Amino acid sequence: FETFLTKNKTKGEKHMRNKKVLFLTQAAVIAAIYVVLTIFISAFNLASGAIQVRISEALTILPFFTPAAIPGLFVGCLIGNLFGGAIPLDIIFGSLATLIGACGTYALRKQNKFLAPVSPIVANTIVVPLVLFYGYGVNVPIPLQMLTVGLGEVLSCGVLGMILLFALEKYRGVIFKRHTA
């Protein structure tokens, strides 16, 4: 009986270790993709400012598929903002806005899939204009900045994000498979 318990404990420990490795790997890949997309779109001057379409924000629908996307998106945004030359206020609060949006997407994942981009859109529409106004001194009324940033978020999260969601949904079991024993 002891041998049976020891064998099953070892299998259980291996299973948990494999789940952790899968989680960390998914989070790291998502973070890396976010950074690359942010740097790419920065070359076109669209990753920051009052008018921005940060295509990497389309990835904020990924918590719909895996919770590993939450830390992946947060770390990716943090690194993307660091490499993009953002000020500390933007690095912190811009990354937190992405984190809040990702958590909201995860929380709404069992609801209607069309709700997936709502949290990132709302979080960034509220936070980013405040960072632009108070951190960067963009002298445009905050409501107008909310409109322009919000439109960019609708394009990146709402349009591109939903295209990504529908494309990935077909491969959900392959790309986002959960590790089994």
Side-chain angles (χ1 to χ4, degrees):
F1 185 71
E2 276 184 47
T3 307
F4 174 77
L5 288 177
T6 305
K7 220 181 238 188
N8 283 339
K9 184 178 179 186
T10 305
K11 281 184 182 179
E13 288 172 352
K14 185 178 179 183
H15 175 70
M16 287 304 293
R17 185 175 56 246
N18 288 343
K19 283 180 72 171
K20 289 178 184 176
V21 169
L22 178 63
F23 184 92
L24 288 172
T25 302
Q26 287 178 343
V29 168
I30 290 167
I33 294 169
Y34 189 101
V35 171
V36 168
L37 289 174
T38 300
I39 292 170
F40 170 76
I41 204 68
S42 293
F44 301 96
N45 206 24
L46 289 173
S48 58
I51 299 174
Q52 57 181 276
V53 181
R54 186 180 274 204
I55 59 173
S56 47
E57 283 290 301
L59 300 176
T60 58
I61 59 88
L62 293 179
F64 180 84
F65 299 105
T66 177
I70 297 169
L73 290 166
F74 175 68
V75 170
C77 185
L78 193 73
I79 294 169
N81 285 343
L82 278 168
F83 279 115
I87 61 171
L89 187 73
D90 192 5
I91 293 168
I92 294 166
F93 288 102
S95 301
L96 286 174
T98 296
L99 176 64
I100 291 165
C103 289
T105 299
Y106 183 75
L108 295 171
R109 74 191 181 285
K110 293 184 179 175
Q111 308 301 317
N112 186 324
K113 66 180 137 197
F114 289 99
L115 294 177
V118 171
S119 295
I121 291 169
V122 171
N124 283 292
T125 298
I126 293 169
V127 173
V128 173
L130 295 171
V131 169
L132 292 170
F133 190 82
Y134 293 108
Y136 290 102
V138 175
N139 197 16
V140 174
I142 292 174
L144 182 57
Q145 289 188 58
M146 287 180 167
L147 177 67
T148 59
V149 170
L151 288 172
E153 287 296 313
V154 167
L155 286 173
S156 58
C157 299
V159 176
L160 296 176
M162 288 307 293
I163 290 169
L164 182 61
L165 186 143
F166 281 107
L168 292 176
E169 203 168 37
K170 296 175 185 174
Y171 305 101
R172 175 183 232 152
V174 176
I175 299 172
F176 299 106
K177 69 179 178 180
R178 301 194 197 293
H179 184 79
T180 56

